[in-house]
Amino acid sequence: AQRVTQPEKLLSVFKGAPVELKCNYSYSGSPELFWYVQYSRQRLQLLLRHISRESIKGFTADLNKGETSFHLKKPFAQEEDSAMYYCALSGGASGTYKYIFGTGTRLKVLA
Amino acid sequence: EAQVTQNPRYLITVTGKKLTVTCSQNMNHEYMSWYRQDPGLGLRQIYYSMNVEVTDKGDVPEGYKVSRKEKRNFPLILESPSPNQTSLYFCASSQLMPGLAGLSNEQFFGPGTRLTVL
């Protein structure tokens, strides 16, 4: 079954500490992986996607096909990183193009 | 301004009273989608559309209908709402450029519609 798992509902870290938000997926094929972020009172927006291999706001995510993981990392957390983070995948097989989101992790960066 | 709009933003209704939540995008995107967001369950896809007159079920389509008669609009219809459809609903759109695996382009989300069914 296609599934995205984010094991942590809430992650609290101190400002300046490293952050890692975990994401594991289950998919029979090679999906596209994304991280979306929802800041307070703002719309859900794309943070980064694995196909771009980019770093946004200091965040990076590496796709590990062996472990079927796409963990989000940042070396030094900032207070403005506090938000809800969703890992998502899209997969196309036989002409279907669904998106599957994880349950989300709320990141709180403490001063 | 490029954006996805939803109306209404808030709606309180009663069981069985048909309702429609509208979604419109001005970016000429082919792909549009509806999600519901519930505590502890994240976002779950209800329906999606690859283009005009092309729609397909997501993971939780029961109790919902959609239509895509124009490229810019993708309304969500609840023919007979029930309390378990109380949720926060998001519409999203993206350009359709399928990768080898799936959709690789960014989805743009609307502001959300908070629906309460009594």
Side-chain angles (χ1 to χ4, degrees):
Chain A
Q2 301 170 19
R3 187 168 56 246
V4 174
T5 302
Q6 293 180 251
E8 304 132 333
K9 284 187 177 180
L10 173 65
L11 183 63
S12 296
V13 300
F14 284 102
K15 178 182 173 181
V19 174
E20 182 179 46
L21 286 77
K22 291 183 167 51
C23 172
N24 288 89
Y25 66 91
S26 172
Y27 186 78
S28 56
S30 297
E32 305 284 349
L33 274 298
F34 307 83
W35 277 98
Y36 280 84
V37 61
Q38 191 171 29
Y39 300 103
S40 180
R41 301 184 189 282
Q42 292 188 28
R43 303 185 184 202
L44 200 66
Q45 58 188 277
L46 179 69
L47 180 62
L48 54 79
R49 48 189 165 173
H50 93 272
I51 197 171
S52 301
R53 297 182 176 274
E54 56 202 345
S55 173
I56 303 293
K57 299 183 178 182
F59 285 97
T60 59
D62 291 319
L63 178 60
N64 186 322
K65 292 185 179 181
E67 296 182 358
T68 59
S69 68
F70 189 55
H71 303 327
L72 184 68
K73 300 177 183 179
K74 185 170 182 177
F76 307 104
Q78 299 174 320
E79 289 182 74
E80 53 265 34
D81 296 329
S82 295
M84 192 75 176
Y85 291 79
Y86 290 98
C87 183
L89 71 79
S90 75
S94 303
T96 64
Y97 290 90
K98 291 183 179 180
Y99 275 93
I100 299 170
F101 280 75
T103 52
T105 297
R106 182 165 298 282
L107 175 64
K108 286 190 177 179
V109 181
L110 309 171
Chain B
E1 180 188 356
Q3 62 178 341
V4 178
T5 57
Q6 295 178 226
N7 282 292
R9 295 288 313 279
Y10 302 90
L11 180 60
I12 300 175
T13 188
V14 296
T15 299
K17 185 177 182 182
K18 181 180 178 180
L19 66 92
T20 299
V21 183
T22 64
C23 172
S24 183
Q25 51 94 5
N26 61 2
M27 295 170 279
N28 202 36
H29 286 165
E30 296 88 358
Y31 189 93
M32 296 187 75
S33 181
W34 276 103
Y35 299 88
R36 59 178 291 174
Q37 184 183 43
D38 301 288
L41 297 177
L43 275 80
R44 293 178 293 168
Q45 193 172 39
I46 302 171
Y47 270 95
Y48 65 93
S49 169
M50 302 283 280
N51 214 324
V52 175
E53 302 292 2
V54 182
T55 63
D56 207 346
K57 297 177 181 178
D59 283 339
V60 289
E62 296 78 19
Y64 305 95
K65 285 175 59 177
V66 292
S67 69
R68 187 91 182 273
K69 297 178 182 176
E70 305 167 283
K71 198 171 186 180
R72 63 183 294 130
N73 296 322
F74 190 46
L76 179 69
I77 304 156
L78 285 72
E79 295 266 2
S80 183
S82 62
N84 64 12
Q85 292 178 298
T86 292
S87 186
L88 180 58
Y89 291 86
F90 290 100
C91 180
S93 72
S94 72
Q95 203 171 15
L96 188 64
M97 285 177 57
L100 290 176
L103 298 162
S104 56
N105 281 336
E106 173 181 4
Q107 285 192 94
F108 292 86
F109 282 82
T113 295
R114 187 166 294 280
L115 172 66
T116 301
V117 183
L118 302 174

